Amino acid sequence: MGKLLEVKHLKKYFPTKSGMLHAVDDVSFSIDEGKTLGVVGESGCGKSTLGRVILHLLPLTEGTILYKGRDISNPSRTELHELRRNMQMVFQDPYSSINPRQSVAEIIGEPLKVYHLCKTRQEYGQRVRELMDIVGLPERYEHSYPHELDGGRRQRIGIGRALALNPGFIVCDEPVSALDVSIQAQILNLMMDLQEERKLTYIFVTHDLSVVKHISDDIMVMYLGVVAEKSGAKALFEKQLHPYTKALLSAIPRAKLGGERNRILLKGELTSPIEPPKACRFAVRCPYATDQCRREEPALEEVLPEHFVACHRVREINQL
């Protein structure tokens, strides 16, 4: 399968009283059709903003977005309306992202009405019930309201709504972070089953590294708006090359009694994302930083096959 989505030098800046906040700064990547790209990093690294800019929920500052080879960087209103059929989003909070005054059937069926996809009321009702069945919502909830359901069922509503237009690409913005662990597994399994059945392509944004390992084909690690490391999921968990990725993965809780954990504790203040210096943004917290790191911004380069890292000392640190 070919590339479904290509992002080139994407930037998103927000004006503040102190200057421009660089939320996403020169990010490039691509996703093959039917695959999942996991995007991880600490809160404030720009991963959710990245997803919203790709879907044009936020306007981009600079850069290029290609969908199936077509430039969709600055779509017209008509083009954007058509793009919504192919590109959808599942939001983090399953309660605030749906209308509490609408029933389950009304929420899931709203895209069908907006795009006039059903000719009769009977066809509309049948399609809504099909979508409810696909996401595991029994028919008895058809006339229920969101406040009557738990978090897992609310998130199933959001997924059903996203699937209503048969999209090929979905941005999942921390879709399980607000759910209990047992419910998380159900939703993740549902999304993986749907991907296999419908050949869906996902960007899966999360801060939960255990979740991203389970669902992703490739993983991109972000730090303060830039990409620190990107590789296949298996390769990243076997060998991390960037010092930040090493520290991030060392924080994963392990259910192993006894043995000592090699937890890497980062020290130092975060670099301000407002008008950041032209240097490595991780340098102030990095134990390997040199004067070059504080003077020059590292480029994202392919250090190993399909393994990209933005670090001046990556070969020296990892003895490559």
Side-chain angles (χ1 to χ4, degrees):
M1 292 185 181
K3 290 182 175 65
L4 183 84
L5 183 80
E6 290 183 81
V7 172
K8 300 178 181 180
H9 307 293
L10 190 68
K11 298 181 181 180
K12 176 57 185 175
Y13 299 165
F14 293 97
T16 71
K17 292 180 180 178
S18 305
M20 299 300 288
L21 188 152
H22 294 214
V24 177
D25 207 354
D26 201 18
V27 170
S28 300
F29 63 89
S30 63
I31 313 174
D32 289 340
E33 193 171 353
K35 300 295 184 180
T36 299
L37 174 68
V39 183
V40 300
E42 296 170 284
S43 295
C45 71
K47 54 189 187 295
S48 293
T49 302
L50 175 66
R52 283 168 163 76
V53 172
I54 290 170
L55 294 187
H56 296 289
L57 298 178
L58 292 171
L60 58 79
T61 301
E62 194 177 305
T64 305
I65 304 170
L66 301 175
Y67 183 77
K68 293 184 177 180
R70 174 184 159 207
D71 191 338
I72 60 165
S73 308
N74 296 287
S76 65
R77 190 167 181 174
T78 303
E79 289 171 333
L80 187 58
H81 182 73
E82 188 58 34
L83 276 175
R84 291 279 183 260
R85 297 190 64 166
N86 298 306
M87 307 171 76
Q88 285 288 314
M89 189 165 194
V90 177
F91 295 89
Q92 178 178 358
D93 187 342
Y95 191 66
S96 65
S97 63
I98 53 182
N99 190 338
R101 293 183 176 85
Q102 289 184 322
S103 68
V104 171
E106 288 172 329
I107 295 168
I108 292 177
E110 188 170 14
L112 301 174
K113 290 182 177 179
V114 171
Y115 283 84
H116 309 290
L117 296 182
C118 298
K119 296 178 181 178
T120 64
R121 183 171 292 184
Q122 183 180 2
E123 184 184 351
Y124 168 81
Q126 183 179 347
R127 178 61 181 149
V128 168
R129 286 188 287 274
E130 283 176 5
L131 287 165
M132 289 179 64
D133 183 57
I134 287 168
V135 297
L137 283 170
E139 197 175 318
R140 66 178 182 274
Y141 293 123
E142 189 175 353
H143 302 294
S144 299
Y145 287 85
H147 72 271
E148 300 175 293
L149 307 176
D150 61 24
R153 291 191 177 93
R154 289 175 191 161
Q155 195 58 288
R156 289 175 190 270
I157 296 171
I159 296 170
R161 179 179 61 184
L163 293 174
L165 300 176
N166 290 317
F169 173 68
I170 300 178
V171 173
C172 309
D173 185 11
E174 305 211 34
V176 297
S177 64
L179 308 177
D180 294 338
V181 175
S182 59
I183 305 300
Q184 284 185 9
Q186 293 175 20
I187 297 300
L188 285 173
N189 289 333
L190 169 65
M191 297 187 75
M192 291 171 73
D193 290 342
L194 289 169
Q195 182 176 40
E196 188 174 344
E197 292 168 10
R198 295 166 171 255
K199 307 302 179 189
L200 294 170
T201 305
Y202 293 145
I203 283 183
F204 197 95
V205 174
T206 183
H207 63 269
D208 191 329
L209 294 162
S210 301
V211 167
V212 81
K213 181 182 180 182
H214 181 64
I215 198 170
S216 301
D217 296 292
D218 298 297
I219 296 176
M220 186 167 74
V221 181
M222 291 188 68
Y223 185 82
L224 288 179
V226 298
V227 178
E229 188 166 356
K230 180 183 180 296
S231 80
K234 185 178 180 182
L236 190 80
F237 276 83
E238 285 179 354
K239 187 173 182 64
Q240 307 88 49
L241 301 181
H242 196 285
Y244 174 65
T245 311
K246 293 176 187 284
L248 200 63
L249 266 67
S250 77
I252 300 175
R254 292 173 186 161
K256 184 179 180 181
L257 299 176
E260 192 175 335
R261 287 185 61 194
N262 296 320
R263 177 74 186 274
I264 301 172
L265 298 176
L266 297 176
K267 299 177 181 179
E269 293 292 326
L270 284 168
T271 301
S272 173
I274 299 174
E275 303 293 354
K278 288 292 182 183
C280 176
R281 296 182 191 184
F282 185 60
V284 293
R285 303 172 75 192
C286 180
Y288 306 103
T290 63
D291 288 340
Q292 182 189 16
C293 304
R294 300 181 187 96
R295 286 195 316 267
E296 300 174 21
E297 190 171 2
L300 189 70
E301 60 175 323
E302 190 173 10
V303 178
L304 295 174
E306 299 299 318
H307 199 140
F308 300 83
V309 186
C311 176
H312 291 301
R313 301 189 63 199
V314 60
R315 291 180 175 81
E316 184 183 346
I317 293 167
N318 297 283
Q319 299 180 344
L320 299 176

